[in-house]
């Protein structure tokens, strides 16, 4: 059994770790999820992958006690508090994450899953019912909601002086598939890519502004485009799909506007808070200086890359630590997550389903709430 260490790497006197199993031993898990476990109070009991060699190699590398090729066998044999799921699309081309999470909750374990949770709001609703019945929860690793800079921007957007969110814009280098590419996921790589990546900007929009009420979008010949969104909160948003941009470009820009204040996050790390304030005295035409009072000056944060601090690791800055740490905290306290729970997954999946409708008209997301609604594949 591995020895418990605290976040400084010091051996702990008492073992207060939760017991976790891990389904999926692939590239993303290797780079970004197993490595954060050592910074959290978790004891990795078992790994699982269809590929026995991978399951064994990951167990040995990351200090698990046993390994499996069937998650059902792992759930039956092991006494686990929680399971982390970082798998992928199944042989039908559908994301397996929420389905596996349901199996884990049925077996008495809380679940963390990677995105995309599902391609179907109906499936997420079923998972919500399982969660309700079993008293176990699922957190989806929408990492953008745990970016250090995004979390701070979110906090700022809740300040009284910010005045409430009136509008939001997000840029993201994803393409919107053409209508003829929106059949089955298995046969349409462009649709898989869209489902895979829409999660990122959609989770930011949901984190800041809550559920989307209506969507209008247009795409160009390379799949780039714009979406205009109305939120149930009354805020208005835009999502700029920058497919066609250079491979050397930054990917993301987020701007959240309040009333007399706004906050910008560029490239996921540079945060500028334009506090309520104004420029030099004298009024329009008569001000010799562009600089105003210090009390209203913009606040700017960016990382330094000199010190070997935890905060300088991509694992921390890009939210991988934050999402797992929040999950583990919730498991320890037996309380549902504050963000990125199944309700959020439902809203994000509803937005994906709305994009399956043809472009150029206002799409009401509330129609997706109708009990007789079936998604495009008929379940
Ligand atoms: N958040 C991010 O930054 C980010 C980045 C990259 C990938 N991802 C996501 O991570 C997921 C995994 O991506 P990847 O590139 O590591 O995929 P991968 O194919 O390399 O790894 C998936 C692994 O899961 C195993 N697996 C699948 N279903 C299983 C099951 N039911 N039981 C046991 N093992 C099973 C496969 O055998 C494989 O080894 C994807 O959903 C992807 O969208 C997220």
């Amino acid at each position: 059994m591995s020895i418990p260490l605290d976040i400084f790497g010091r051996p702990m006197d008492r073992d207060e770790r939760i017991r976790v199993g891990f389904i999926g031993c692939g590239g993303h898990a290797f780079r970004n999820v197993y490595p954060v476990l050592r910074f959290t109070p978790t004891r990795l009991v078992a790994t699982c992958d269809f590929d026995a060699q991978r399951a064994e190699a990951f167990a040995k590398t990351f200090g698990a006690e046993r390994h499996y090729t069937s998650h059902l066998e792992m759930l039956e044999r092991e006494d686990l508090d929680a399971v982390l799921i970082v798998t992928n699309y199944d042989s039908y081309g559908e994301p397996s994450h929420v389905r596996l999470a349901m199996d884990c909750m049925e077996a008495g374990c809380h679940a963390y899953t990677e995105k995309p949770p599902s391609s179907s709001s109906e499936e997420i609703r079923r998972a919500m019912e399982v969660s309700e019945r079993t008293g176990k929860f699922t957190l989806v690793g929408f990492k953008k909601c745990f970016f250090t800079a995004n979390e701070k921007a979110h906090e700022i957007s809740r300040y009284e002086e910010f005045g409430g969110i009136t509008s939001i814009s997000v840029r993201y280098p994803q393409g919107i598939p053409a209508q003829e590419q929106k059949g089955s996921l298995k046969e349409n790589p462009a649709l898989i890519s869209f489902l895979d990546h829409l999660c990122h900007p959609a989770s930011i929009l949901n984190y800041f502004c809550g559920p989307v009420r209506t969507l209008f979008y247009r795409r160009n010949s390379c799949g780039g485009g714009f979406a205009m969104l109305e939120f149930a909160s009354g805020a208005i948003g835009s999502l700029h799909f920058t497919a066609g941009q250079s491979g050397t470009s930054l990917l993301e820009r987020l701007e959240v506007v309040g009333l007399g204040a706004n906050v910008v996050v560029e490239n996921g790390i540079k945060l500028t808070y334009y506090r309520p304030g104004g420029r030099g005295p004298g009024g329009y035409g008569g001000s010799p200086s562009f600089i105003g009072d210090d009390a209203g000056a913009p606040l700017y944060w960016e990382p330094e890359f000199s010190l070997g601090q935890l905060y300088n690791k991509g694992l921390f800055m890009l939210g991988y630590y934050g999402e797992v740490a929040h999950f583990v905290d919730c498991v320890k306290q037996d309380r549902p997550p504050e963000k990125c729970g199944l309700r959020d997954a439902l809203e994000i999946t509803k937005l994906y389903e709305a994009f399956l409708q043809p472009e150029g008209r206002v799409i009401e997301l509330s129609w997706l709430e109708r009990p007789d609604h079936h998604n495009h594949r008929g379940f």
Side-chain angles (χ1 to χ4, degrees):
M1 187 183 81
S2 58
I3 295 167
L5 300 172
D6 67 16
I7 200 163
F8 293 95
R10 299 175 301 214
M12 293 194 297
D13 297 336
R14 283 186 21 205
D15 190 353
E16 293 177 348
R17 297 174 297 174
I18 62 164
R19 297 169 57 88
V20 302
F22 202 126
I23 310 172
C25 301
H28 173 56
F30 176 75
R31 290 191 305 276
N32 298 316
V33 191
Y34 281 95
V36 300
L37 291 181
R38 70 193 141 111
F39 299 113
T40 63
T42 48
R43 173 174 157 195
L44 182 61
V45 174
T47 60
C48 171
D49 198 290
F50 286 146
D51 180 332
Q53 214 184 353
R54 280 183 166 273
E56 183 180 4
F58 274 52
K60 288 198 171 137
T61 302
F62 296 105
E65 292 150 45
R66 283 169 291 282
H67 55 91
Y68 295 86
T69 52
S70 154
H71 74 282
L72 292 175
E73 189 185 347
M74 178 179 83
L75 290 171
E76 194 179 316
R77 291 199 179 192
E78 300 291 350
D79 176 21
L80 302 171
D81 299 307
V83 179
L84 292 99
I85 305 159
V86 186
T87 53
N88 218 329
Y89 295 83
D90 63 18
S91 52
Y92 299 100
E94 292 293 329
S96 53
H97 289 129
V98 149
R99 217 170 326 121
L100 291 168
M102 283 193 261
D103 287 346
C104 295
M105 293 190 291
E106 292 281 13
C109 300
H110 298 293
Y112 157 98
T113 82
E114 192 38 72
K115 62 82 195 162
S118 173
S119 67
S120 151
S121 56
E122 183 50 42
E123 191 175 49
I124 305 264
R125 282 180 213 282
R126 285 208 302 277
M128 290 167 83
E129 282 163 23
V130 173
S131 175
E132 182 77 29
R133 178 165 46 74
T134 58
K136 300 296 165 186
F137 65 78
T138 293
L139 180 146
V140 181
F142 293 120
K143 66 173 178 178
K144 305 285 173 189
C145 306
F146 294 90
F147 269 36
T148 313
N150 289 354
E151 283 190 317
K152 184 63 190 175
H154 183 269
E155 184 189 328
I156 288 169
S157 74
R158 268 58 187 167
Y159 290 169
E160 205 175 327
E161 66 179 24
F162 198 80
I165 298 177
T166 54
S167 66
I168 185 168
S169 79
V170 176
R171 104 193 270 290
Y172 201 79
Q174 175 58 40
I176 307 167
Q179 204 54 27
E180 61 273 16
Q181 295 173 312
K182 293 178 183 170
S184 75
L185 280 164
K186 193 170 183 177
E187 284 153 20
N188 290 285
L191 188 59
I192 290 202
S193 167
F194 185 65
L195 173 62
D196 231 45
H197 293 105
L198 180 70
C199 283
H200 290 313
S203 63
I204 298 175
L205 292 166
N206 179 68
Y207 178 38
F208 280 86
C209 296
V212 173
R213 201 165 62 77
T214 68
L215 163 72
F216 176 93
Y217 75 93
R218 283 283 190 195
R219 72 184 288 280
N220 59 24
S221 56
C222 76
F226 273 97
M228 206 194 101
L229 308 135
E230 285 180 286
F231 295 89
S233 69
I236 300 284
S238 75
L239 180 41
H240 184 184
F241 292 90
T242 57
Q245 74 171 38
S246 166
T248 63
S249 169
L250 60 79
L251 273 61
E252 293 171 46
R253 185 176 191 279
L254 161 69
E255 177 154 16
V256 189
V257 182
L259 266 181
N262 54 312
V263 60
V264 177
V265 177
E266 270 177 312
N267 201 22
I269 50 168
K270 292 184 180 175
L271 182 146
T272 310
Y273 175 29
Y274 296 95
R275 295 185 283 172
R279 297 194 184 269
Y284 184 76
S287 178
S289 169
F290 63 86
I291 294 177
D293 288 342
D294 286 358
L299 298 178
Y300 177 74
W301 284 102
E302 69 175 325
E304 52 78 17
F305 289 117
S306 298
L307 303 174
Q309 293 273 22
L310 292 179
Y311 63 65
N312 271 338
K313 288 182 185 294
L315 291 178
F316 283 73
M317 227 177 279
L318 303 188
Y320 301 116
Y321 164 77
E323 61 192 23
V324 174
H326 183 50
F327 173 68
V328 172
D329 206 35
C330 291
V331 172
K332 287 192 89 158
Q333 295 178 37
D334 200 21
R335 65 175 167 94
E338 277 153 35
K339 55 184 174 182
C340 304
L342 288 169
R343 184 80 231 177
D344 301 297
L346 178 66
E347 295 304 332
I348 289 158
T349 308
K350 275 167 58 183
L351 187 61
Y352 163 75
E353 289 176 329
F355 271 105
L356 298 176
Q357 302 295 309
E359 65 176 308
R361 60 188 198 207
V362 176
I363 301 157
E364 298 267 349
L365 268 76
S366 52
W367 72 273
L368 295 165
E369 293 286 359
R370 288 201 329 244
D372 60 346
H373 162 67
H374 294 291
N375 76 3
H376 65 298
R377 286 179 314 283
F379 59 83

